[in-house]
Amino acid sequence: AQSVTQLGSHVSVSEGALVLLRCNYSSSVPPYLFWYVQYPNQGLQLLLKYTSAATLVKGINGFEAEFKKSETSFHLTKPSAHMSDAAEYFCAVSEGFDDMRFGAGTRLTVKP
Amino acid sequence: DSGVTQTPKHLITATGQRVTLRCSPRSGDLSVYWYQQSLDQGLQFLIQYYNGEERAKGNILERFSAQQFPDLHSELNLSSLELGDSALYFCASSSHDRDNEQFFGPGTRLTVL
């Protein structure tokens, strides 16, 4: 079965700095990959998804992620962090239809 | 707004009690998923229903059960509640498209005292 590993349960960056949240996946078939964001006291919201079209995927709020098959990675980046980016971020992998697995999440803190 | 609604938003109850959480999926979505999120366990998949039938089971306790009704809304029943059941419970729905993108509701925060 597919799985996801998010490296780093907590990441702290300064406002204006690069955001890099790491996600590695394991899948026996070409996967569908997702990044979700959860703001405090809210549900998960889709940031972006990879569905085998372009390997560089652009999402909402200036985030993007690159699918690298050779590295089995789908890292999330944003060139310049904003205070409003502080949240928990979840990477998820699906092999199609029913089965989606979530990573443990990475809490992003943005320092002024 | 994801289009998924959950009620109630907050629920406070005592150990040993039984509660029912309700979820209405996005219009047209046939699949409903239930998740539990707690500080120590993270986001745990509990169970999935597709068009009224149980489709997949995750880490769901025997004290918990769920069902999906003909109008596609779903209920999660938690019984013999323990302190450790205190958590956020999320419902998500999907249209069962190939990529299985899920849309999450705002959650129900359950506190067991």
Side-chain angles (χ1 to χ4, degrees), chain B residues 1-41:
Chain B
D1 184 356
S2 67
V4 178
T5 60
Q6 290 187 248
T7 56
K9 291 189 86 166
H10 302 276
L11 198 49
I12 301 175
T13 188
T15 55
Q17 295 298 305
R18 172 189 168 94
V19 297
T20 297
L21 313 183
R22 183 187 169 103
C23 168
S24 292
R26 288 189 323 156
S27 177
D29 283 357
L30 298 178
S31 277
V32 168
Y33 308 77
W34 285 98
Y35 294 86
Q36 179 194 59
Q37 186 180 37
S38 60
L39 282 174
D40 54 343
Q41 300 259 2

Side-chain angles (χ1 to χ4, degrees), chain A residues 2-83:
Chain A
Q2 71 274 40
S3 65
V4 165
T5 301
Q6 290 184 240
L7 298 173
S9 58
H10 290 88
V11 170
S12 181
V13 301
S14 298
E15 192 173 18
L18 171 72
V19 176
L20 171 60
L21 305 182
R22 298 177 188 275
C23 172
N24 287 89
Y25 70 90
S26 169
S27 176
S28 57
V29 300
Y32 300 102
L33 295 159
F34 305 81
W35 275 100
Y36 284 85
V37 61
Q38 184 181 27
Y39 298 105
N41 300 313
Q42 293 187 28
L44 278 70
Q45 176 186 354
L46 183 70
L47 266 180
L48 50 81
K49 65 179 179 181
Y50 166 76
T51 57
S52 76
T55 56
L56 183 61
V57 183
K58 294 188 185 297
I60 61 172
N61 301 338
F63 284 93
E64 61 182 37
E66 187 171 8
F67 171 68
K68 291 188 176 180
K69 184 179 177 181
S70 60
E71 299 177 9
T72 60
S73 69
F74 191 58
H75 301 331
L76 182 71
T77 60
K78 182 174 180 178
S80 177
H82 193 272
M83 297 296 290

Side-chain angles (χ1 to χ4, degrees), chain B residues 4-84:
Chain B
V4 178
T5 60
Q6 290 187 248
T7 56
K9 291 189 86 166
H10 302 276
L11 198 49
I12 301 175
T13 188
T15 55
Q17 295 298 305
R18 172 189 168 94
V19 297
T20 297
L21 313 183
R22 183 187 169 103
C23 168
S24 292
R26 288 189 323 156
S27 177
D29 283 357
L30 298 178
S31 277
V32 168
Y33 308 77
W34 285 98
Y35 294 86
Q36 179 194 59
Q37 186 180 37
S38 60
L39 282 174
D40 54 343
Q41 300 259 2
L43 189 65
Q44 300 280 322
F45 166 65
L46 296 178
I47 196 164
Q48 178 205 353
Y49 277 81
Y50 173 73
N51 202 20
E53 300 288 327
E54 183 183 304
R55 187 83 168 199
K57 245 180 179 177
N59 301 321
I60 188 166
L61 300 172
E62 284 194 14
R63 300 183 285 109
F64 295 0
S65 65
Q67 59 186 130
Q68 186 179 27
F69 294 87
D71 66 353
L72 300 177
H73 91 271
S74 178
E75 293 181 356
L76 179 67
N77 300 296
L78 315 177
S79 61
S80 303
L81 285 168
E82 302 175 358
L83 296 177

